[in-house]
Amino acid sequence: MLMQVPPYGFGDLTRKIFQRESSSHYETMEFVRKNAANFLSLANLVMGLSSVLCTLNGSRQCAAWLLLVGFMLDLADGAVARQLNACSALGAKLDDFADFTSFGLATSLLLHSNSLLDAMLVIVYVLAVFTRLCFYSSGIPFMYRGLPCPYASAILACASLLTGSHTIVLRAIAVIMVLFMIDQGFYPHDKVLESQLWKKVVFAGGVVMMFCSFSPLACLYHLVWSMSYILFPEALWSFKL
């Protein structure tokens, strides 16, 4: 004799639907938590690719602004990953690929012209960024070896905007940035969003100036910020809680 299974009551059905929705919501939130930093790295990658397209279309000002946006995204993605406990090997690779695209390829194209000298400088700059990202591990906690390429990119982007892409100025700055990147000097880990309050204010000020005022003042702000990291790395930007 077959036993008949009583149908679910309305209360049981409602509870099962609620549990299913809660489980789906939790899975969605967990996915967002684990990949929030990756989304920022992808956004940085998109900024770099967009900057390349802008440069190829002759819109160098737009290309430089996109690099500064990528600079801000790069400073945020590591902090977000650590705060959400979502660091992963995939995230590290994605961050390096985004950095190489934005701060290597896209930045080097700001130097591009019909000159053979500039073409060679573009290749040297890209190789310097590649070397910096692949082989310059300091082995010391909270320290970089060689100037981090986002700061070199920010300085070049600001110089391009403030000088109207002046060829000689950009060449000189690019050579200096290459020397800093392949140098054996140490630079502190710039955990801007995880350190003193004033550093967080500097970051917030950069975001406000970028999105509220695409002006020479915003360029000057980021230029001073980046230069201070190069000139006073330990005095100003060493990692402190």
Side-chain angles (χ1 to χ4, degrees), residues 50-60 63 109 112:
S50 301
S51 178
V52 169
L53 292 176
C54 287
T55 302
L56 294 178
N57 288 323
S59 302
R60 297 205 175 194
L109 287 179
H112 179 63

